[in-house]
Amino acid sequence: MKIYLAPLEGITGWIYRGALRECFGGFDKYFVPFIRPNQKGHLSSREKNDISPANNQGAYTVPQILTNNAEDFLRTAEKLEEYGYSEVNLNLGCPSKTVVTKGRGAGFLAYPERLETFLDTVFGECRIRISVKTRIGIEDGGEFKDLLQMFNSYPMEELIIHPRVQKDFYKNVPNLEAFAEALSESRNPVCYNGDLFSAEDYHRFHEMFPDVECIMLGRGVLSNPALAREIRGGKSADLTELRRFHDLVYAGYCREMSGDRTILYKMKEMWSYMAPLLEDHKKYGKKIKKCEKCAVYEDVIDEFFEKQQGGEKI
Ligand SMILES: Cc1cc2nc3c(=O)[nH]c(=O)nc-3n(C[C@H](O)[C@H](O)[C@H](O)COP(=O)(O)O)c2cc1C
């Protein structure tokens, strides 16, 4: 089974990915949150840091591009090739209104003719391999049949399917019927993504789809950074590992970002997913949310971890 880390914009940046790799590992590919090419073709400093080979050592890393403009895609892919990348991912899944109203991400799925012209150009001209990460439509999973036929015309590195439609955002449940159909019809290798939050979820999925050889994990990893290891039959995270993971992420943000507010915003977001792994998380979750200074935050975290020593939950 191949397991990939999903791109999660704002969370799984290079600092988070580095800490995850060092403490838990377990991923065959690490997808980078989307790069949005700008008109001048420059990458932002966040984007440069995220793809810099020095920040991704020892990890098979796949940058992702969010655009509906073939020239922008090709120019960015060329830049990525210069950085040493041999694979790039196209985002056809982002459901956010601001992206969708510009016909990008999942919004591009509403314009099949334009999408086909785009794919003709990028698959015809791009020198590095292209994978696609997609939702199954805008309104209704029935839309995927035609989209898949179109996708079948292109030699994708893989087709990563999150079987929700754009209007679902993250509500409802993945449409496994549509996924089953796509799996049997796709000429490209398929990777499944969606709502695998525990090893049990994975086993249930694997019983239903024994032929799927590749999964991508997103929010499940944010809630439990040892998830890939557990799926592979390894142990759950212990406290020492979690503490080390936290400390590496925190140290990275303190080093790379300025201002307590910015650093704490990132840490609060991480804890909003991860806190339930620990005892007494409601109380400490609130305390973390209230922190405005790093010095206070550090005390709260020390206390949170010290509290675990008695009644260990994990
Ligand atoms: C906060 C957040 C940020 C995300 N950022 C991206 C992104 O940059 N690119 C992308 O393709 N998907 C993005 N996604 C979608 C995830 O990669 C993934 O497809 C989705 O969360 C479903 O997988 P999961 O159920 O395992 O979390 C994001 C999702 C969330 C919740």
Side-chain angles (χ1 to χ4, degrees), residues 6-9 11 32-34 64 89 91 133 162 164 170 193-197 216-220 269 273:
L8 294 140
E9 205 263 324
I11 309 176
V32 180
F34 61 76
Q64 181 187 67
N89 181 262
N91 181 323
K133 181 167 179 285
H162 177 53
R164 279 190 169 92
Y170 292 97
N193 166 238
D195 291 26
L196 299 177
F197 296 118
M216 172 182 268
L217 306 173
R219 291 162 300 163
E269 193 167 25
Y273 289 94

Side-chain angles (χ1 to χ4, degrees), residues 50-313:
D50 233 359
I51 59 163
S52 150
N55 293 337
N56 290 287
Q57 276 173 11
Y60 190 102
T61 305
V62 184
Q64 181 187 67
I65 302 178
L66 176 72
T67 186
N68 57 10
N69 179 304
E71 268 173 40
D72 286 348
F73 184 96
L74 289 167
R75 201 177 44 224
T76 309
E78 206 170 293
K79 204 161 249 175
L80 292 169
E81 190 184 1
E82 284 163 20
Y83 275 86
Y85 288 98
S86 53
E87 181 182 341
V88 64
N89 181 262
L90 170 69
N91 181 323
L92 293 179
C94 183
S96 112
K97 285 251 157 63
T98 48
V99 168
V100 167
T101 49
K102 291 188 185 114
R104 299 182 189 139
F108 209 173
L109 301 175
Y111 304 96
E113 284 172 16
R114 267 199 249 163
L115 178 57
E116 190 165 22
T117 309
F118 172 94
L119 293 174
D120 273 346
T121 310
V122 300
F123 277 93
E125 295 180 28
C126 188
R127 291 202 303 253
I128 60 178
R129 300 190 306 277
I130 304 172
S131 62
V132 171
K133 181 167 179 285
T134 188
R135 288 199 176 220
I136 56 172
I138 301 286
E139 300 262 339
D140 172 356
E143 294 164 40
F144 202 52
K145 223 177 164 49
D146 290 343
L147 288 166
L148 188 69
Q149 267 201 353
M150 181 200 307
F151 292 160
N152 276 341
S153 311
Y154 304 98
M156 298 179 182
E157 172 66 11
E158 53 209 351
L159 177 64
I160 302 161
I161 302 176
H162 177 53
R164 279 190 169 92
V165 291
Q166 182 271 329
K167 76 162 196 215
D168 285 333
F169 283 84
Y170 292 97
K171 293 189 301 279
N172 304 325
V173 288
N175 182 341
L176 294 183
E177 269 172 38
F179 177 74
E181 203 174 317
L183 188 63
S184 66
E185 298 293 319
S186 178
R187 291 206 193 122
N188 290 299
V190 167
C191 171
Y192 174 82
N193 166 238
D195 291 26
L196 299 177
F197 296 118
S198 64
E200 293 73 41
D201 286 346
Y202 163 73
H203 292 306
R204 224 172 294 127
F205 172 82
H206 184 59
E207 262 175 36
M208 285 180 79
F209 296 102
D211 296 337
V212 174
E213 287 167 1
C214 182
I215 55 170
M216 172 182 268
L217 306 173
R219 291 162 300 163
V221 179
L222 303 184
S223 308
N224 172 13
L227 181 58
R229 189 171 76 191
E230 286 180 27
I231 286 175
R232 294 188 196 281
K235 67 186 184 79
S236 329
D238 65 34
L239 272 180
T240 315
E241 284 176 317
L242 278 180
R243 177 77 214 218
R244 181 161 169 260
F245 174 64
H246 166 274
D247 290 354
L248 276 174
V249 174
Y250 182 58
Y253 291 154
C254 288
R255 201 176 54 240
E256 298 294 330
M257 294 173 166
S258 52
D260 288 18
R261 265 174 165 270
T262 320
I263 295 163
L264 292 178
Y265 176 82
K266 303 288 280 184
M267 296 313 294
K268 287 175 192 181
E269 193 167 25
M270 184 174 107
W271 278 116
S272 73
Y273 289 94
M274 203 169 78
L277 267 184
L278 300 177
E279 284 279 332
D280 230 357
H281 66 90
K282 288 211 170 110
K283 175 176 157 192
Y284 283 94
K286 277 187 203 147
K287 284 189 169 203
I288 290 169
K289 262 195 202 151
K290 280 195 194 143
C291 292
E292 288 182 4
K293 292 275 167 219
C294 285
V296 177
Y297 170 80
E298 286 162 22
D299 287 345
V300 170
I301 294 302
D302 283 346
E303 200 183 308
F304 193 12
F305 275 96
E306 271 158 27
K307 274 279 168 323
Q308 308 301 316
Q309 311 299 344
E312 243 183 70
K313 189 178 165 194

Side-chain angles (χ1 to χ4, degrees), residues 30-41:
Y30 293 78
F31 284 72
V32 180
F34 61 76
I35 291 173
R36 209 172 354 196
N38 69 15
Q39 279 159 348
K40 289 192 184 142

